[in-house]
Amino acid sequence: MKKIKALVPLDGTERSMHSLNWLKDFLNKDAISITLMNVMEIVITNDMVVPTEFDYLVEESKVFLDKAQKELEGYEVENFITFGYSGEQILKKAKKDSYDIIIMTKSNKKGLYKMVGSVTSKVVRNASIPVIVIPK
């Protein structure tokens, strides 16, 4: 039997970890392989990337994804870290590596951020595969 190949984007917040709880409740360990993904947003101002401590950000991302991976003990899990705009990077990874499904937690953005559009909205509107959005 072929395993479902799932992409699970996590943004570094506890809220984003709710998708892991859903996954454990509904998908058997033997039926799925999981890639936990964290996208570190690039900040551009006046056509320049704002310098930040990239090494620190990568280490922080690794620690968070390792914590998430421990939540999925017994599952086949790999971690993936990249830089860019989250929605674009999630869609790019899903297509490039032929995932079967994307599982992510609903955005809790409010006000102007919600009007502009959340990462979750962008992924749902543009994905060519099913996207499961976990409310929380």
Side-chain angles (χ1 to χ4, degrees), residues 89-101:
Q89 291 300 317
I90 292 164
L91 293 164
K92 180 180 172 183
K93 176 79 172 159
K95 185 175 183 177
K96 178 181 176 270
D97 292 340
S98 302
Y99 284 89
D100 300 308
I101 193 166

Side-chain angles (χ1 to χ4, degrees), residues 39-43 57 82-87 119:
V39 181
M40 292 174 280
E41 293 275 338
I42 294 176
V43 178
L57 292 174
T82 191
F83 285 93
Y85 295 108
S86 296
V119 172

Side-chain angles (χ1 to χ4, degrees), residues 8-25 34 36-38 60-73 77 79 103-108 132-136:
V8 182
L10 301 171
D11 66 7
T13 64
E14 286 302 313
R15 179 192 49 77
S16 69
M17 298 282 277
H18 292 293
S19 55
L20 303 182
N21 296 330
W22 182 90
L23 193 151
K24 291 189 297 187
D25 288 343
I34 303 161
L36 301 175
M37 178 178 186
N38 181 248
E60 194 173 86
S61 181
K62 284 180 184 177
V63 168
F64 181 77
L65 290 179
D66 287 345
K67 176 183 172 189
Q69 190 169 5
K70 287 178 186 167
E71 291 286 322
L72 296 170
E73 187 174 333
V77 181
N79 294 341
I103 303 169
M104 57 195 308
T105 304
K106 181 180 177 223
S107 171
N108 66 350
I132 296 176
V133 179
I134 310 305
K136 215 30 169 168

Side-chain angles (χ1 to χ4, degrees), residues 3 25 30 32 43 47 67 79 83 85 90 109 111 114 122 129:
K3 285 188 175 188
D25 288 343
D30 298 325
I32 189 166
V43 178
D47 296 324
K67 176 183 172 189
N79 294 341
F83 285 93
Y85 295 108
I90 292 164
K109 293 181 180 178
K114 191 166 189 161
K122 181 176 180 98
I129 58 173

